[in-house]
């Protein structure tokens, strides 16, 4: 049962104390997927969970942009920064970083037909006086060295404004799988 | 079915430290702690300690930490510390009002028969250097004792603004 169902008391009358509340799950079958119902005035912290996201057309990457107008447009000025550590199964490690980029790119870098899974936390999206920060941890695979890895780190959209929609998109190929968005409630 | 259960939140402005008391109990083994606001009064670092069963800070030199610092504008760096009297470097240099993103996980704090382990992941603006930094850390308090809460403080100066929420993992 989706966690969000429990929120509305669908567990046979059992009181629900859960505060990880499902907002939306999207089954992806395109080069992009948008979340335009963040309910950012309700939740100060959000959680995105990737489940089996992959692309079959060729090797590709996943990027992200945010919107301040409910998804009508997505911000493409150089206000995205991140630092991510990549850890390969053969013991190799590498750094992936951007300091002022036009998107939160390389969120995932995947070989063709290799699903990836993981999570991304988002902080302060609904606070117009703060930047929107992210922390993440995903499994992946190197599209340059052909090995599996996991990657963790954090990032920021460094504009103090309300973020009310998110778009994840690939460079070229359609992706499949699901992405779920949760809000972390305090009451 | 697993889920998070909200326990309590706390906030403070211009405080030397902020304690979250009685947030650990026998009801949960694992806790998730979210910190969306952490504005320091100086460019030092955010630290924290466990609270003992009487609500006092544990200041014994029994904290070990390993940290990877991730930087958007420079090379990454490792830090390993043993026998500290606190967990350090949730953030560093974030004397700015733009917010942060910090997830802190605590394992077995209330179990008097086990050490308290922790891991945290943060994202913040390093104000002096002007770019994004993050931390990925693991830590342990090598005390087999019951701990009931957390105390956060600045390595030098005050917490100008700080918000924290604690959840139990079911």
């Amino acid at each position: 049962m989706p966690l969000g169902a429990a929120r509305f008391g669908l567990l046979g009358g059992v009181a629900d104390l859960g505060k990880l509340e499902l907002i939306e799950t999207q089954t992806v079958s395109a080069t992009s997927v948008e979340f335009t119902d963040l309910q950012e005035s309700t939740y100060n912290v959000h959680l995105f969970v990737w489940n089996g996201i992959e692309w079959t057309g060729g090797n590709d990457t996943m990027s992200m942009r945010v919107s301040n107008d409910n998804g009508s447009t997505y911000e493409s000025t150089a206000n995205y920064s991140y630092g991510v550590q990549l850890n390969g199964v053969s013991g190799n490690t590498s750094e992936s970083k951007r300091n002022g980029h036009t998107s939160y790119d390389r969120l995932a870098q995947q070989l063709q037909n290799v699903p990836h899974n993981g999570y991304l936390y988002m902080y302060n999206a609904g606070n117009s006086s703060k930047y929107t920060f992210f922390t993440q941890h995903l499994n992946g695979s190197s599209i340059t060295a052909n090995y599996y890895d996991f990657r963790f780190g954090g990032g920021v959209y460094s504009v103090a404004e309300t973020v009310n929609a998110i778009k994840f998109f690939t460079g070229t190929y359609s992706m499949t799988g699901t992405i779920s968005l949760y809000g972390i409630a305090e009451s | 079915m697993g889920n998070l259960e909200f326990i309590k939140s706390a906030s403070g402005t211009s405080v030397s430290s902020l304690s979250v008391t009685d947030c650990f109990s026998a009801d949960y083994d694992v806790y998730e702690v979210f910190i969306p606001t952490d504005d320091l009064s100086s460019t030092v670092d955010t630290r924290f300690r466990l609270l003992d069963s009487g609500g006092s800070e544990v200041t014994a030199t029994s904290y070990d930490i390993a940290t990877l610092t991730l930087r958007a504008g420079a090379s990454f760096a490792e830090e390993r510390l043993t026998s500290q009297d606190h967990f350090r470097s949730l953030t560093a240099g974030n004397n700015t009002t733009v917010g942060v993103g910090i997830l802190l996980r605590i394992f077995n704090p209330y179990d008097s028969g086990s050490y308290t382990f922790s891991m945290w992941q943060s994202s913040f603006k390093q104000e002096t250097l002007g770019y994004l930094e993050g931390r990925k850390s693991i830590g342990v308090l090598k005390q087999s004792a019951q701990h009931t809460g957390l105390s956060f403080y600045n390595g030098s100066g005050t917490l100008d603004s700080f918000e924290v929420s604690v959840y139990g993992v079911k």
Side-chain angles (χ1 to χ4, degrees):
Chain A
M1 175 183 293
L3 296 177
R7 173 189 178 190
F8 294 105
L10 301 180
L11 288 175
V14 176
D16 171 39
L17 300 176
K19 296 306 173 191
L20 183 64
E21 299 179 342
L22 178 66
I23 297 173
E24 183 179 13
T25 293
Q26 294 205 43
T27 300
V28 185
S29 181
T31 58
S32 68
V33 56
E34 300 179 27
F35 289 85
T36 58
D37 181 26
L38 300 183
Q39 301 177 31
E40 71 281 354
S41 61
T42 301
Y43 304 108
N44 198 29
V45 181
H46 292 78
L47 169 65
F48 293 91
V49 178
W50 278 256
N51 188 359
I53 293 290
E54 64 178 294
W55 24 84
T56 57
N59 301 340
D60 211 334
T61 65
M62 178 187 281
S63 303
M64 175 184 71
R65 286 191 174 120
V66 303
S67 171
N68 58 18
D69 56 10
N70 297 300
S72 295
T73 60
Y74 286 89
E75 300 305 300
S76 58
T77 50
N79 290 314
Y80 300 89
S81 299
Y82 62 80
V84 173
Q85 174 85 358
L86 280 58
N87 306 272
V89 294
S90 60
N92 48 317
T93 62
S94 62
E95 302 171 4
S96 179
K97 51 184 177 285
R98 297 278 199 189
N99 186 22
H101 196 62
T102 55
S103 68
Y104 198 129
D105 68 341
R106 302 175 186 161
L107 194 56
Q109 295 174 287
Q110 290 297 114
L111 294 166
Q112 180 181 3
N113 299 321
V114 176
H116 71 277
N117 308 276
Y119 60 82
L120 172 76
Y121 283 94
M122 178 171 68
Y123 309 81
N124 296 320
N127 191 328
S128 61
S129 65
K130 296 186 186 303
Y131 295 175
T132 299
F133 287 87
F134 302 89
T135 56
Q136 67 196 71
H137 197 130
L138 300 100
N139 76 296
S141 53
S142 169
I143 61 176
T144 55
N146 198 31
Y147 58 75
Y148 298 100
D149 63 20
F150 70 94
R151 51 190 66 201
F152 57 79
V156 65
Y157 170 65
S158 57
V159 177
E161 64 182 7
T162 298
V163 166
N164 45 34
I166 296 276
K167 178 171 72 174
F168 301 101
F169 57 98
T170 63
T172 304
Y173 301 106
S174 290
M175 50 186 162
T176 58
T178 63
I179 301 177
S180 295
L181 167 62
Y182 297 88
I184 297 174
E186 288 194 6
S187 61
Chain B
M1 181 175 63
N3 206 335
L4 297 181
E5 295 182 353
F6 176 67
I7 298 172
K8 67 190 305 186
S9 62
S11 63
T13 55
S14 301
V15 294
S16 57
S17 66
L18 181 71
S19 292
V20 188
T21 58
D22 298 319
C23 59
F24 302 143
S25 70
D27 292 339
Y28 310 96
D29 296 321
V30 183
Y31 299 82
E32 293 206 346
V33 181
F34 296 95
I35 302 170
T37 298
D38 179 11
D39 173 14
L40 304 180
S41 65
S42 63
T43 55
V44 190
D45 66 312
T46 309
R47 304 175 180 183
F48 69 101
R49 292 181 172 125
L50 275 293
L51 302 181
D52 65 20
S53 58
S56 299
E57 291 186 17
V58 176
T59 58
T61 54
S62 301
Y63 297 85
D64 291 353
I65 314 148
T67 292
L68 179 69
T69 296
L70 307 102
R71 300 179 172 120
S75 297
F76 297 177
E78 299 176 1
E79 182 179 52
R80 305 177 191 89
L81 297 166
T82 59
S83 302
Q84 301 295 298
D85 66 3
H86 59 271
F87 287 129
R88 67 185 303 163
S89 294
L90 275 178
T91 63
N94 48 305
N95 59 329
T96 170
T97 61
V98 299
V100 297
I102 303 172
L103 168 61
L104 166 64
R105 288 194 176 99
I106 306 285
F107 301 82
N108 299 316
Y110 202 75
D111 182 353
S112 59
S114 73
Y115 290 176
T116 296
F117 288 85
S118 66
M119 59 174 70
W120 58 92
Q121 193 164 354
S122 65
S123 179
F124 56 93
K125 183 183 180 186
Q126 220 292 0
E127 189 65 13
T128 302
L129 300 174
Y131 51 66
L132 173 87
E133 278 196 7
R135 298 282 192 275
K136 182 77 170 183
S137 300
I138 55 174
V140 61
L141 170 57
K142 296 183 291 185
Q143 278 190 349
S144 297
Q146 193 174 81
H147 302 105
T148 57
L150 296 164
S151 178
F152 299 90
Y153 64 103
N154 184 353
S156 175
T158 59
L159 300 169
D160 278 352
S161 183
F162 196 87
E163 295 177 277
V164 56
S165 298
V166 180
Y167 295 78
V169 178
K170 273 294 189 185

